[in-house]
Amino acid sequence: MTRPKQTNRSMTKSKHTKFDPAALLQEFVLIPAPPGQERPLREVLVTHVKALGLNPTEDAKGNLLVALGDGKGTPIVITAHMDEIAMIVRRVMPDGSITVGPLGGLFPWKLGEGPVQLLGRTKTVDGVLGFGSIHTADKSSTVRKADNAPIDWDMAKILTGLTLKELSKAGIRPGTRVVVHPSRRQLTKLGELVGGYFLDDRADLVSWLIALEALKDTKANIVFAATAAEEVGGEGAKFILRNLKPDICVALELGPNVEDAPVELTDQPTVWTADSYSSMSAEDGFLLDKIGEELKMDLQFQSLSRGGSDASASANQGLCARCFTLALPMANSHGCEVMHPGAMENLARLTVALVEAL
């Protein structure tokens, strides 16, 4: 694959938008937003949307909606999801230790041992996710089980230093969300690249805002949606599309660098042609070929053997006729992800050009 030309804007403020993409990305990554508990991030997004002179609304599912244009005809829906993969408390043990499971596609080996936060009803509690000590030959120990079996959530425990009574007072119980600690949410600059947790889908929210800024005065009927609970089945988008009945949904996502659908970590966006749920029509692929040529972008097309987006999961259930998934090339999906920050603006440009061509 020929390496596309890259910008040198990596971590600098753009001349083409009022937003500072790098600063926005760090701001968004710092805010925990597990599925079903996206409000803190949604409130920050509301502030940025209102700064554009627009009036966002919130629906019953917790999605943030921004309607543009004259409202005539069938809307085009553009999504980027607010939620992040996380953990959920399964049980609080008598000794105060806590067992957890995944909320979305999170694997324990993607996190390893480290600090977490439990988002209790009355108090946020710090904890450490761990897998026990290694200094034993006891076959019942976690470390010996891991000698011959994959690490799974049954091997994990969280320690908080609090008693069962104290945890109960903090509102921590089965169903409490557990997220990566703020100390692990700082981005790391890696030459022209940047690394950090939850670039999926916080980096796409940056692109979403930049595209919204570019299209805010359009006459076309467009609904920008920052969706809830995407990581647990695209629940938020399905709720929106069932009500709006759009023909077209455009999802902004990550383009995972995987062995059977490789991409390069440049500032050139990727396009999903197929995934676990649906496939883009050939005609729509041809349209994106043409748009890429007009924008002088070397779009990276992917046919994924696993995964789904707001658009494809909705199309699978007949909630839209045409699905587009436009994405940011990214390594280490659902872990400590790595990407080229210049891709955020290019993804916004591609989104705007696609909408104007539809």
Side-chain angles (χ1 to χ4, degrees):
M1 181 184 295
T2 302
R3 188 175 180 84
K5 293 181 180 180
Q6 301 182 37
T7 67
N8 292 315
R9 292 195 301 268
S10 301
M11 303 294 282
T12 60
K13 189 170 181 178
S14 169
K15 296 179 181 179
H16 306 293
T17 171
K18 73 182 288 293
F19 296 113
D20 181 336
L24 269 183
L25 180 59
Q26 180 64 88
E27 179 183 13
F28 293 166
V29 167
L30 283 172
I31 304 169
Q37 202 167 356
E38 297 95 349
R39 180 172 296 280
L41 180 57
R42 186 170 59 246
E43 290 175 347
V44 169
L45 283 171
V46 166
T47 299
H48 288 297
V49 171
K50 286 185 174 180
L52 294 174
L54 300 169
N55 296 307
T57 60
E58 178 187 340
D59 68 14
K61 184 64 179 175
N63 298 302
L64 182 68
L65 306 174
V66 188
L68 303 179
D70 55 18
K72 296 179 180 178
T74 303
I76 296 172
V77 177
I78 302 172
T79 76
H81 66 85
M82 294 181 287
D83 61 316
E84 64 194 53
I85 51 174
M87 293 159 278
I88 189 168
V89 172
R90 286 178 172 166
R91 187 179 176 190
V92 182
M93 307 297 284
D95 65 357
S97 63
I98 296 166
T99 64
V100 293
L103 198 58
L106 180 62
F107 296 91
W109 51 269
K110 280 284 189 175
L111 288 183
E113 293 184 328
V116 296
Q117 282 191 327
L118 297 94
L119 306 181
R121 180 176 57 85
T122 61
K123 183 180 180 181
T124 295
V125 173
D126 289 341
V128 168
L129 176 71
F131 299 91
S133 299
I134 67 169
H135 298 88
T136 180
D138 191 319
K139 293 182 179 180
S140 67
S141 66
T142 296
V143 67
R144 297 286 70 86
K145 290 178 181 178
D147 288 338
N148 302 300
I151 296 172
D152 61 30
W153 288 107
D154 291 336
M155 299 177 180
K157 283 187 178 180
I158 292 176
L159 302 179
T160 65
L162 301 182
T163 65
L164 179 61
K165 183 177 181 180
E166 289 170 329
L167 290 168
S168 179
K169 188 176 181 180
I172 293 169
R173 51 154 175 76
T176 296
R177 272 55 171 173
V178 184
V179 297
V180 170
H181 195 274
S183 63
R184 301 181 77 178
R185 289 175 176 265
Q186 290 293 328
L187 300 178
T188 301
K189 193 171 184 301
L190 308 165
E192 286 198 331
L193 306 178
V194 63
Y197 287 105
F198 314 122
L199 304 186
D200 167 24
D201 212 24
R202 306 303 164 74
D204 296 277
L205 284 172
V206 175
S207 301
W208 182 91
L209 267 177
I210 295 172
L212 177 61
E213 177 189 22
L215 290 167
K216 68 177 184 175
D217 296 321
T218 184
K219 299 300 183 184
N221 187 0
I222 302 172
V223 175
F224 276 75
T227 57
E230 187 274 345
E231 295 288 6
V232 289
E235 293 178 3
K238 291 173 184 176
F239 183 80
I240 294 168
L241 270 60
R242 186 169 285 112
N243 291 328
L244 294 181
K245 297 179 172 59
D247 290 337
I248 299 169
C249 180
V250 181
L252 306 186
E253 264 291 350
L254 85 157
N257 185 27
V258 290
E259 286 76 6
D260 54 353
V263 294
E264 292 195 354
L265 301 184
T266 69
D267 64 0
Q268 301 298 287
T270 80
V271 176
W272 295 15
T273 60
D275 60 31
S276 300
Y277 293 89
S278 187
S279 60
M280 182 175 62
S281 74
E283 289 80 6
D284 287 336
F286 299 153
L287 174 61
L288 282 165
D289 282 329
K290 181 179 178 182
I291 291 170
E293 291 171 0
E294 291 171 350
L295 294 176
K296 295 183 170 35
M297 287 186 184
D298 290 327
L299 298 180
Q300 305 187 69
F301 288 84
Q302 295 184 277
S303 178
L304 297 176
S305 58
R306 183 183 175 103
S309 72
D310 278 337
S312 65
S314 296
N316 179 265
Q317 295 192 7
L319 299 176
C320 64
R322 299 166 69 185
C323 63
F324 295 86
T325 303
L326 312 180
L328 301 164
M330 208 172 286
N332 303 336
S333 58
H334 283 207
C336 193
E337 294 152 340
V338 178
M339 60 169 280
H340 192 298
M344 293 185 287
E345 284 188 73
N346 281 336
L347 179 59
R349 289 176 58 220
L350 177 62
T351 302
V352 171
L354 172 60
V355 170
E356 291 177 341
L358 292 170

